[in-house]
């Protein structure tokens, strides 16, 4: 057995965390030989609920959980972390402008970034889930200047998995048979799910998705809007936002950071755009196709981009630049 790692989950009394914590505790994220000290952070009014979550984790009797710490204090939560999964954020309420949402979250993620900077290991891997995830992630990174910006990523894996699943359903194969879909840009309805480079296994051989489907109008229309608006569709049906699927995507994302991506496969995650070769402005937190090795991501280079893709990639970059500008105005005054 190796030394325990310290893993923080924020918003730990919420419904995504409720679907996530068991998977972390049972070894399906960091491996079956990796003991874990699990730290749960939430706001003070949620401490009663968090106590119940703590009891349940104890009752799971998971051998890898060396300790579970429930707290509402940042100096306890962020201390000596190896991994921080920032799920907690201010949710959007009815009649709330996106700008108001940004303002509330800038405050939260500025504080959490500063706490990471002050208390966590410099090697900490930070995964931001709380929305608006890309801009929250950029805010946290800017507020933690001593932690490399490459250590920060935001979740677009749920969108990635949604895209994979839609293609698999359409072709009557399993999601495992589909690889190398890409989510470009923002985790919002401007994101661009791109399958120009995706492959699907049909009768034992790999073919391009466009070639396999022979339905360009679906791929350029309904497929894209379905993935972009899937979160809203789930809320409409369930009256609650995606939790099980979000937790599964977080597990996929973190596991890939920890163990790397399979040979010949890439995944999507929001990362700092500095020095990319796809014409996306620097200093944005933008979702790219990446491969991961030794806990370090690398953007997949040299994928040809057609005019249809270019326009969609630029549109979501523009939205991110606007979000960033708004956030940084608040950041300066916060």
């Amino acid at each position: 057995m190796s030394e325990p790692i310290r893993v923080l989950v924020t918003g730990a009394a919420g419904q995504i965390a409720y679907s996530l914590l068991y998977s972390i505790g049972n070894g399906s994220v960091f491996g079956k030989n990796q003991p874990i000290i699990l730290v749960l952070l939430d706001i003070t009014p949620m401490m009663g609920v968090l106590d119940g979550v703590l009891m349940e984790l104890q009752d799971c009797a998971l051998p890898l959980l060396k300790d579970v710490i429930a707290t509402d204090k940042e100096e306890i939560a962020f201390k000596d972390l190896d991994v921080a999964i920032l799920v907690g954020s201010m949710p959007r309420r009815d009649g709330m402008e996106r700008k108001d949402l940004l303002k509330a979250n800038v405050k939260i993620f500025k504080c959490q970034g500063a706490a990471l900077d002050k208390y966590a290991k410099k090697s900490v891997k930070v995964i931001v889930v709380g929305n608006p995830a890309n801009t929250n992630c950029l805010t946290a990174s800017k507020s933690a200047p001593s932690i490399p910006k490459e250590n920060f990523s935001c979740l677009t894996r749920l969108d990635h998995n949604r895209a994979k699943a839609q293609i698999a359903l359409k072709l009557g194969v399993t999601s495992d048979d589909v690889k190398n879909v890409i989510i470009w840009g923002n985790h919002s309805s401007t994101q661009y799910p791109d399958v120009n480079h995706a492959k699907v296994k049909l009768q034992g051989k790999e073919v391009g998705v466009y070639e396999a489907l022979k339905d360009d109008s679906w791929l350029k229309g309904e497929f894209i809007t379905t993935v972009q608006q899937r979160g809203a569709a789930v809320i409409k049906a369930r009256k609650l936002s995606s939790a099980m699927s979000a937790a599964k995507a977080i597990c996929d994302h973190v596991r890939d950071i920890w163990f790397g991506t399979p040979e010949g496969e890439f995944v999507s995650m929001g990362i700092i755009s500095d020095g990319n070769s796809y014409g996306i402005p620097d200093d944005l937190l933008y979702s790219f196709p990446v491969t991961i090795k030794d806990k370090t991501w690398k953007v997949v280079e040299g994928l040809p981009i057609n005019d249809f893709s270019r326009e969609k990639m630029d549109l979501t970059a523009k939205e991110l630049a606007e979000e960033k500008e708004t956030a940084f105005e608040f950041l300066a005054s916060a």
Side-chain angles (χ1 to χ4, degrees):
M1 280 286 185
S2 30
E3 279 295 292
I5 53 171
R6 281 183 90 90
V7 179
L8 166 69
V9 176
T10 72
Q15 57 149 2
I16 291 177
Y18 194 75
S19 287
L20 171 67
L21 295 169
Y22 177 72
S23 297
I24 294 174
N26 76 3
S28 51
V29 178
F30 298 103
K32 302 287 182 195
N33 297 316
Q34 180 57 67
I36 291 168
I37 295 166
L38 191 52
V39 189
L40 312 176
L41 176 71
D42 216 313
I43 55 176
T44 311
M46 296 305 290
M47 290 313 284
V49 176
L50 196 56
D51 244 1
V53 175
L54 178 66
M55 285 189 251
E56 282 208 69
L57 278 166
Q58 290 167 345
D59 298 348
C60 285
L62 295 162
L64 290 172
L65 277 189
K66 291 300 158 215
D67 195 8
V68 184
I69 299 158
T71 183
D72 56 357
K73 294 182 176 49
E74 287 186 339
E75 63 275 19
I76 295 171
F78 287 89
K79 190 153 181 51
D80 296 335
L81 291 180
D82 295 286
V83 179
I85 305 173
L86 308 183
V87 181
S89 65
M90 168 73 115
R92 192 168 180 167
R93 312 220 185 282
D94 263 357
M96 197 182 203
E97 289 294 318
R98 197 170 169 85
K99 208 167 172 158
D100 301 331
L101 185 70
L102 266 171
K103 188 174 185 173
N105 281 298
V106 163
K107 225 167 120 178
I108 295 169
F109 285 86
K110 181 185 183 177
C111 284
Q112 297 196 342
L116 283 161
D117 202 56
K118 191 170 172 183
Y119 301 113
K121 291 182 180 172
K122 298 306 169 201
S123 58
V124 65
K125 299 294 185 195
V126 184
I127 298 90
V128 176
V129 179
N131 285 318
N134 300 58
T135 300
N136 287 346
C137 188
L138 190 61
T139 301
S141 173
K142 294 280 180 198
S143 309
S146 71
I147 295 168
K149 43 187 162 182
E150 294 74 32
N151 289 20
F152 287 81
S153 61
C154 83
L155 187 78
T156 55
R157 186 60 168 268
L158 177 52
D159 310 302
H160 179 100
N161 287 349
R162 285 166 171 164
K164 261 176 83 149
Q166 286 302 312
I167 298 297
L169 284 166
K170 189 85 170 168
L171 284 166
V173 297
T174 67
S175 291
D176 232 22
D177 293 326
V178 182
K179 68 174 193 187
N180 298 353
V181 305
I182 301 168
I183 303 295
W184 298 99
N186 198 1
H187 174 65
S188 74
S189 58
T190 66
Q191 61 171 270
Y192 170 43
D194 176 9
V195 292
N196 284 292
H197 313 285
K199 302 260 187 281
V200 58
K201 207 186 259 158
L202 286 179
Q203 283 105 39
K205 68 175 211 281
E206 273 188 2
V207 282
V209 164
Y210 267 85
E211 191 193 330
L213 266 172
K214 299 182 177 55
D215 188 348
D216 291 18
S217 68
W218 182 77
L219 283 171
K220 288 184 164 168
E222 195 188 326
F223 163 70
I224 292 175
T225 52
T226 299
V227 175
Q228 286 172 333
Q229 293 161 16
R230 187 68 158 188
V234 170
I235 290 176
K236 194 166 177 238
R238 246 192 113 225
K239 313 291 178 267
L240 290 165
S241 56
S242 315
M244 177 170 41
S245 54
K248 156 66 163 64
I250 295 165
C251 291
D252 291 346
H253 178 119
V254 178
R255 189 189 308 108
D256 284 346
I257 289 176
W258 216 248
F259 293 107
T261 47
E263 195 59 46
E265 271 187 51
F266 48 79
V267 295
S268 309
M269 55 175 66
I271 49 167
I272 195 72
S273 61
D274 296 4
N276 75 86
S277 62
Y278 291 106
I280 303 303
D282 281 355
D283 206 35
L284 290 178
L285 216 292
Y286 189 97
S287 180
F288 288 96
V290 299
T291 55
I292 305 167
K293 196 180 175 191
D294 302 327
K295 298 187 173 61
T296 308
W297 54 259
K298 219 166 134 263
V299 174
V300 177
E301 299 291 353
L303 298 171
I305 303 298
N306 60 29
D307 293 346
F308 179 82
S309 294
R310 181 77 265 162
E311 191 184 327
K312 295 238 181 301
M313 288 161 69
D314 290 344
L315 184 77
T316 189
K318 184 173 172 284
E319 182 183 58
L320 278 169
E322 286 163 8
E323 270 188 31
K324 172 185 157 179
E325 200 181 330
T326 308
F328 282 22
E329 281 165 27
F330 295 140
L331 200 53
S333 64

